[in-house]
Amino acid sequence: MIVPDIETQYPLSDGVVDERNPFVQGGGTQSVRAERISSPLEAEKANSSDASTHEPGKPDNRPRHARTGRPLSFPREIAVVTVVCLAQLMTQAGVGQALAIIDVTGDSLGITNVASRSWVIAAYSLTVGTFILPAGRWGDLFGHKRMFVIGFVWFGLWSILAGLSVYVDQIFFDFCRAMQGIGPAILLPNGIAILGTLYPPSPRKDMAFAMFGSVAPGGATVGAVFASIFAQFVWWPWAYWAMAIACLMIAFVAWVVIPACPSKDDKDEMFQRLDVLGSIFGVGGLVLVNVAWNQGSTIGWTTTYTYILLIIGFVLLGIFAFIESRAAYPLIPRTILNAKLGFVLGCIACGWSTFGVWVYYSFQFLLVLRGQTPLLTSAQFVPCAISGLCAAVSTGVLMSRIRHAYIMLTALLCFTVGTILIATAPVEQTYWAQTFISMVITPWGMDMSFPAGTLILSAALPREHQGLAASLVSTVVNYSISLGLGFAGTVESNVDKDRSDMLKGFRAALYMGIGLASLGVAVAALFTVMTRQRRATEKR
């Protein structure tokens, strides 16, 4: 199905374009009526009165509460949204817990090469980013609830093994971190898909997506604080074992409270629908390109196999593009490829790669150069959680009032300013000067760009591709974090080759982040100007 241009078909009376999704939940029929629906109860009434939501003779893939006529109660609605938001919180907690105790873990495992310690973060973000696209397809085929629960169970099991790596070595730990990241890769697209099918287009849906994004800074802070407590007062492996206990408990709650999401019944076409070849070449290409960039910063680009990995990665991505152009069920349907998609993903890639650089080198700046303890450093990141919540609530309100291009532009400006502040902060300066302000500003970039990007794509896709909408945004977010670390690590290792001036190396890496954020500002500004010019032409 070719999605019509929402901006041109649904202008408001004052000339401002309503960018909310004009599609009813079931099957993609157009209806202005959907704009007045604000809760699952009203959504059920709308769906039950629209015969197009289910065609006779075909499998009914609506959630059970829509098929049976029993809408969710308000307490259960809150429970579902909370559990889905916990997926985002635990994903970012996986980043925060590793960052806060990265030096403790490195010393325990004998990681003498300081640059290679970034793999603790990069390996996790790499698999989160690369496996999200196929994981969204798995949810479309096997049921989003089922995959959501499996994601938490997988996350928990590999968290246990990550803690047990204290008895092995660095290689096993990095491998466990990579495998651990597959859990969030399953959770994120299927969690957002659950929200996408629970709500029709409305301010209530905007707020639900904003809440999902708002817990990201809080999740990183929670993970960092608890990991620091375990590392300082107990034993660092307990940070991962506690994560495992939490994941398994949430998996049980999710199984109880989330409505059933039926899977596809056409098993004969399962191999085609899974797009197995596309998934293999796509994931393989993304992994190799990312590994090459992150290894290049560790062992140097003079090592031959670094270039070989990079070349093979690009070759695999070329094969992936060829396969997708001829696939019956491509991971990314060709009909959704347009300028708006490029704008959204381009801005998110620039912003979140900057975030990866900002959060890693902010921790290193505070831990190494200022000589703080992990717990004190984690406590100094608490303003991120508070500021992120304010940003999410504000974004949820603004989404239905101003154009998304302005929200994206503001988000990229926040990424840029926040990184400039930490990059230029003197080592001996008090925390309450530039560092604190950076902690307040940067989360606005995260919590404005994520819900805006997710809602734009969710609005443009029908119900059966809600997992894909979530996959695209989450893939770019997490893959960009890992790739941005590779870029910044390469800059740092070349500026401070003998590790004699760590401040100079850290700042060079942060300047790389500033460059990425500035590129995002330019892309967002260009798109905003082009959009205004196009609308002015249409009015004439």
Side-chain angles (χ1 to χ4, degrees):
M1 159 179 165
I2 299 178
V3 180
D5 188 347
I6 298 173
E7 295 185 1
T8 59
Q9 292 198 7
Y10 294 88
L12 298 179
S13 57
D14 60 356
V16 178
V17 175
D18 189 349
E19 293 179 325
R20 290 173 293 179
N21 181 10
F23 298 103
V24 185
Q25 269 193 306
T29 52
Q30 299 181 22
S31 175
V32 179
R33 170 174 59 101
E35 308 242 347
R36 297 192 298 268
I37 304 174
S38 61
S39 70
L41 176 60
E42 294 176 25
E44 170 56 30
K45 293 177 181 178
N47 282 337
S48 63
S49 63
D50 190 348
S52 66
T53 58
H54 175 225
E55 297 182 29
K58 293 187 177 182
D60 189 349
N61 291 317
R62 292 174 296 169
R64 184 168 59 188
H65 67 275
R67 291 182 285 114
T68 61
R70 295 192 297 272
L72 296 181
S73 63
F74 180 72
R76 192 176 181 187
E77 177 192 352
I78 296 298
V80 171
V81 173
T82 300
V83 169
V84 172
C85 287
L86 284 175
Q88 177 74 292
L89 185 143
M90 297 301 287
T91 298
Q92 300 307 320
V95 176
Q97 70 172 175
L99 270 173
I101 60 174
I102 191 169
D103 292 330
V104 176
T105 307
D107 294 340
S108 175
L109 296 174
I111 308 177
T112 56
N113 187 341
V114 178
S116 67
R117 293 184 180 184
S118 65
W119 264 116
V120 175
I121 307 301
Y124 176 83
S125 296
L126 169 61
T127 49
V128 174
T130 52
F131 280 88
I132 283 179
L133 269 178
R137 177 61 56 84
W138 300 341
D140 290 337
L141 293 177
F142 302 116
H144 297 298
K145 174 183 177 178
R146 181 181 291 113
M147 296 308 304
F148 189 81
V149 173
I150 290 173
F152 265 121
V153 172
W154 179 281
F155 198 0
L157 293 178
W158 282 100
S159 296
I160 294 174
L161 293 174
L164 293 174
S165 64
V166 69
Y167 299 110
V168 192
D169 57 15
Q170 174 196 355
I171 296 176
F172 182 73
F173 179 67
D174 288 343
F175 177 76
C176 289
R177 284 287 293 169
M179 299 303 290
Q180 192 184 19
I182 297 177
I186 299 172
L187 287 171
L188 293 177
N190 290 290
I192 300 179
I194 290 170
L195 292 182
T197 55
L198 183 66
Y199 293 100
S202 62
R204 198 182 188 106
K205 180 177 182 178
D206 294 348
M207 188 59 68
F209 274 87
M211 289 297 101
F212 184 85
S214 73
V215 299
T221 303
V222 168
V225 169
F226 278 95
S228 300
I229 292 174
F230 284 121
Q232 286 188 220
F233 302 109
V234 189
W235 195 25
W236 72 262
W238 270 106
Y240 292 92
W241 295 334
M243 170 76 79
I245 294 171
C247 286
L248 296 177
M249 291 176 62
I250 297 172
F252 174 76
V253 175
W255 183 259
V256 173
V257 303
I258 296 177
C261 300
S263 58
K264 301 286 186 181
D265 292 334
D266 48 349
K267 305 299 182 183
D268 294 337
E269 295 183 350
M270 188 63 69
F271 183 85
Q272 283 185 307
R273 288 185 176 274
L274 284 174
D275 193 13
V276 176
L277 290 179
S279 299
I280 292 174
F281 283 99
V283 170
L286 290 173
V287 167
L288 291 182
V289 169
N290 201 299
V291 167
W293 275 105
N294 281 281
Q295 270 305 88
S297 65
T298 302
I299 63 176
W301 284 94
T302 56
T303 307
T304 304
Y305 82 82
T306 306
Y307 291 101
I308 295 175
L309 288 177
L310 187 63
I311 293 171
I312 295 175
F314 280 120
V315 170
L316 292 181
L317 289 177
I319 297 174
F320 166 74
F322 176 79
I323 292 174
E324 293 300 282
S325 67
R326 288 160 173 75
Y329 302 98
L331 290 176
I332 305 176
R334 294 176 291 277
T335 54
I336 72 169
L337 301 178
N338 51 44
K340 177 179 282 190
L341 179 71
F343 153 70
V344 173
L345 298 185
C347 290
I348 289 176
C350 292
W352 282 83
S353 59
T354 302
F355 167 74
V357 176
W358 175 83
V359 71
Y360 177 77
Y361 285 98
S362 294
F363 263 100
Q364 288 295 290
F365 180 77
L366 298 175
L367 288 169
V368 178
L369 298 181
R370 289 188 176 173
Q372 299 178 175
T373 63
L375 186 56
L376 176 58
T377 301
S378 301
Q380 291 181 348
F381 272 81
V382 169
C384 290
I386 301 172
S387 180
L389 180 61
C390 295
V393 173
S394 301
T395 303
V397 173
L398 293 173
M399 285 291 295
S400 58
R401 289 171 169 77
I402 64 175
R403 297 188 180 104
H404 298 159
Y406 295 143
I407 295 177
M408 277 292 184
L409 179 58
T410 305
L412 268 299
L413 287 171
C414 291
F415 279 125
T416 305
V417 174
T419 309
I420 290 174
L421 288 171
I422 197 67
T424 58
V427 175
E428 66 279 1
Q429 187 184 62
T430 177
Y431 163 78
W432 298 104
Q434 290 177 233
T435 307
F436 172 74
I437 298 175
S438 178
M439 300 292 176
V440 172
I441 292 177
T442 307
W444 283 76
M446 301 167 59
D447 286 308
M448 295 186 80
S449 63
F450 187 91
T454 301
L455 281 169
I456 291 171
L457 297 186
S458 177
L461 296 175
R463 168 194 288 275
E464 61 268 21
H465 287 313
Q466 288 296 306
L468 174 61
S471 297
L472 287 171
V473 175
S474 298
T475 291
V476 174
V477 163
N478 291 280
Y479 190 79
S480 297
I481 291 174
S482 184
L483 194 60
L485 281 174
F487 293 158
T490 299
V491 173
E492 179 199 357
S493 62
N494 281 276
V495 170
D496 184 24
K497 295 181 179 179
D498 56 357
R499 308 296 295 179
S500 60
D501 191 348
M502 298 182 71
L503 175 60
K504 185 178 180 181
F506 288 173
R507 282 184 171 168
L510 286 165
Y511 293 154
M512 178 69 198
I514 294 171
L516 291 169
S518 300
L519 176 62
V521 170
V523 173
L526 178 62
F527 184 85
T528 302
V529 171
M530 292 176 62
T531 302
R532 289 176 61 89
Q533 290 179 343
R534 186 187 68 193
R535 287 170 179 162
T537 302
E538 291 173 352
K539 287 181 179 180
R540 291 197 296 267

